């Protein structure tokens, strides 16, 4: 299976693991990234995916706005 982690303020994931069966299924597994900024500023982060000898980083950006 795969283990996921997220780094960076304001970002969360809907799941932090993907089983081997989910990864190999037609259509794979959907993971939702939620961005919940607390300030009006630019945010950066990354998703880290590890497992099966692989290590992948996916960059994230977001912009918080004042309401």
């Amino acid at each position: 299976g795969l283990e996921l982690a997220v780094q960076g303020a304001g970002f969360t994931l809907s799941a932090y693991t993907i089983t081997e069966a989910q990864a190999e299924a037609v259509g794979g597994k959907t993971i939702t990234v939620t961005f919940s900024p607390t300030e009006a500023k630019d945010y950066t982060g990354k998703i880290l995916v590890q497992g099966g000898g692989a290590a992948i980083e996916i960059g994230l950006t977001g912009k918080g706005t004042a309401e």
Side-chain angles (χ1 to χ4, degrees):
L2 300 171
E3 298 292 325
L4 291 80
V6 66
Q7 294 179 343
F11 298 99
T12 58
L13 301 177
S14 61
Y16 290 87
T17 60
I18 300 173
T19 66
E20 187 174 336
Q22 290 170 326
E24 294 176 353
V26 174
K29 163 96 174 144
T30 299
I31 303 291
T32 302
V33 178
T34 300
F35 177 55
S36 301
T38 57
E39 297 179 61
K41 65 176 190 175
D42 292 332
Y43 289 79
T44 60
K46 58 186 165 183
I47 299 171
L48 309 170
V49 183
Q50 295 184 340
I56 302 166
E57 291 187 6
I58 303 164
L60 301 171
T61 60
K63 185 172 190 74
T65 57
E67 296 212 6

